[in-house]
């Protein structure tokens, strides 16, 4: 497929001062690009520039092969719609009135809508699940409802490119997921191209075909989510000192408690995660084992445990590793059995539990 959206040598900023330079993006029709990065890194500045609300300092922005600077206001409005974080405060406008403003590029000189325009407004009201609010005064809505109405207004423009700045702000988890599924559907079924910034890193990776990491004067990374997450670790991108981010799980963990382990957690298969997070909240340093390297508990333990004993996946635990875990467990002085079922491969953990029981180390027994 050919490039539908492209920036070349783009530099953005304010009052002639460059904030971010060397922005080179290529996006196919129907693709979704998500921007992530710390507050104040320039995500909104990039979006406002590609929406032609800010003048580029250098470089070009092209949509469907045409430089946006060469387009009239109406031509550009038929190509792209924009939903920014700026608050609108219209007085005495109903939801239907607000969404109807999206038909401006297609109406006549006096702004009169046709039956087709009204049909399109009704369609997008249904699409964004705000049809029941159509006759409500816009100013009486919650922030989340207003957000969906503004999105409906943008979709009423029938754009080929949709630009959104933090569209999930003010939305609860239900409406966040509905919105992102809607955008994925529009991209897949209608070929709409979407460029948006998101604060939810896990959702950005799941919703976007491409990720753009913004930090400093140049782009930190650009590409497929799995590539970007390996090139630009989230801890570095956000200068994260008090915790860590696991790209495979899409989860953030708070900082581990350092020190000599006081509790040994026998875990596996996800059973240990609640125990480990509880100990982290209680600021109790702990060790975890014996965990297979590919186990979900192992991923969390590496980020929260003071020590973690792991074994090769799909193989019985070796006697050497068992003895290492046994020594560490006895040095902790307290043991928590997370309740992981014991089978053939992890029978070493069953031996650890039995030993802890005999020594009186098991908690809650």
């Amino acid at each position: 497929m050919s490039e539908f959206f492209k920036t070349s040598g783009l530099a953005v900023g304010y009052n002639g001062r460059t904030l971010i330079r060397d922005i080179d993006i290529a996006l196919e029709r129907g693709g979704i690009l998500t921007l992530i990065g710390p507050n104040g890194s320039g995500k909104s500045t990039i979006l406002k520039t590609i929406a032609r609300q800010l003048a580029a300092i250098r470089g070009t922005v092209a949509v469907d092969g045409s430089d946006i600077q060469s387009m009239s206001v109406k031509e550009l409005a038929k190509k792209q719609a924009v939903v920014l974080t700026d608050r609108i405060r219209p007085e005495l406008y109903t939801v239907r009135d607000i969404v109807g403003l999206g038909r401006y590029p297609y109406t006549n000189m006096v702004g009169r809508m046709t039956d087709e325009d009204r049909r399109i407004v009704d369609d997008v009201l249904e699409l964004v699940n705000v049809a029941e609010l159509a006759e409500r005064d816009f100013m009486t809505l919650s922030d989340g409802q207003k957000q969906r109405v503004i999105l409906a207004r943008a979709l009423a423009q029938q754009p080929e490119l949709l630009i959104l700045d933090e569209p999930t702000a003010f939305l609860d988890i239900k409406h966040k997921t509905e919105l992102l599924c809607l955008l994925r559907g529009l991209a897949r079924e209608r070929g709409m191209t979407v460029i948006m910034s998101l604060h939810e890193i896990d959702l950005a990776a799941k919703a976007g075909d491409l990720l753009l990491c913004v930090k400093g004067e140049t782009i930190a990374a650009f590409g497929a989510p799995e590539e970007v997450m390996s090139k630009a670790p989230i801890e570095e991108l956000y200068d994260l000192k008090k915790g860590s981010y696991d790209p495979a799980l899409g989860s953030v963990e708070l900082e581990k408690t350092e020190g000599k382990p006081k509790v040994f957690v026998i875990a596996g298969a996800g059973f240990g995660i609640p125990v480990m997070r509880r100990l982290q909240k209680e600021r109790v340093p702990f060790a975890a084992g014996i965990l297979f390297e590919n186990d979900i508990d192992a991923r969390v333990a590496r980020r929260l445990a003071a020590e973690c004993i792991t074994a090769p996946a799909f193989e019985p635990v070796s006697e050497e590793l068992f003895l290492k875990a046994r020594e560490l467990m006895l040095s902790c002085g307290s043991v928590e059995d997370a309740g992981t079922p014991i089978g053939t491969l992890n029978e070493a953990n069953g031996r650890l539990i039995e030993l802890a029981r005999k020594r009186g180390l098991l908690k809650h027994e």
Side-chain angles (χ1 to χ4, degrees), residues 189-208:
E189 296 161 14
R190 302 188 186 183
M192 184 180 295
T193 306
V194 179
I195 300 176
M196 60 181 167
S197 64
L198 289 177
H199 275 306
E200 302 89 344
I201 305 164
D202 58 328
L203 295 180
K206 292 166 185 171

Side-chain angles (χ1 to χ4, degrees), residues 29 37 65 134 152 270 275-277:
R29 185 184 294 274
V275 177
M276 291 187 283
R277 287 179 176 161

Side-chain angles (χ1 to χ4, degrees), residues 205 208-212 221-231:
D209 301 303
L210 296 171
L211 276 185
L212 184 76
F222 170 64
E226 59 275 12
E227 296 172 359
V228 166
M229 292 297 189
S230 62
K231 292 178 185 175

Side-chain angles (χ1 to χ4, degrees), residues 17 58 67 123 158 161 190 200-201 225 227 267 354:
R17 178 177 172 271
R58 286 191 307 279
D67 188 329
D123 285 348
Q158 296 185 306
L161 171 64
R190 302 188 186 183
E200 302 89 344
I201 305 164
E227 296 172 359
E354 187 58 31

Side-chain angles (χ1 to χ4, degrees), residues 20-212:
I20 308 168
R21 55 183 171 78
D22 302 329
I23 306 170
D24 294 297
I25 305 169
L27 188 59
E28 295 177 347
R29 185 184 294 274
I32 296 182
L33 169 65
T34 51
L35 281 64
I36 62 173
N39 289 336
S41 60
K43 300 185 297 296
S44 296
T45 305
I46 293 174
L47 294 177
K48 287 179 180 179
T49 303
I50 65 179
R52 211 174 72 177
Q53 295 191 3
L54 277 179
I57 292 177
R58 286 191 307 279
T60 60
V61 178
V63 177
D64 201 14
S66 299
D67 188 329
I68 62 171
Q69 295 302 324
S70 67
M71 299 181 187
S72 69
V73 172
K74 277 204 168 186
E75 286 173 338
L76 187 61
K78 290 179 180 180
K79 278 290 182 185
Q80 67 179 32
V82 186
V83 179
L84 299 180
T85 53
D86 301 334
R87 296 285 174 269
I88 65 169
R89 299 189 60 83
E91 299 295 335
L92 303 179
Y93 269 65
T94 67
V95 166
R96 188 183 299 279
D97 294 333
I98 295 293
V99 176
L101 294 174
R103 298 305 298 161
Y104 161 75
Y106 304 92
T107 56
N108 58 25
M109 293 185 65
V110 295
R112 182 172 298 164
M113 291 202 298
T114 64
D115 289 342
E116 176 65 8
D117 291 322
R118 284 185 281 273
R119 182 193 65 77
I120 291 170
V121 168
D122 287 338
D123 285 348
V124 296
L125 285 169
E126 289 284 351
L127 189 63
V128 185
N129 294 321
V130 291
E132 73 280 3
L133 305 176
E135 307 310 323
R136 284 269 301 273
D137 184 331
F138 178 79
M139 293 306 298
T140 67
L141 303 183
S142 69
D143 285 338
Q145 289 171 328
K146 288 177 181 176
Q147 190 87 336
R148 285 186 284 150
V149 172
I150 299 305
L151 173 61
R153 182 186 66 176
L155 294 178
Q157 288 178 228
Q158 296 185 306
E160 296 177 63
L161 171 64
L162 184 60
I163 300 169
L164 308 107
D165 193 6
E166 299 179 28
T168 55
F170 309 112
L171 300 183
D172 58 32
I173 188 63
K174 175 182 185 292
H175 291 108
K176 284 180 196 287
T177 54
E178 285 182 355
L179 170 64
L180 295 177
C181 287
L182 169 63
L183 294 177
R184 287 247 45 115
L186 291 170
R188 181 179 63 253
E189 296 161 14
R190 302 188 186 183
M192 184 180 295
T193 306
V194 179
I195 300 176
M196 60 181 167
S197 64
L198 289 177
H199 275 306
E200 302 89 344
I201 305 164
D202 58 328
L203 295 180
K206 292 166 185 171
D209 301 303
L210 296 171
L211 276 185
L212 184 76

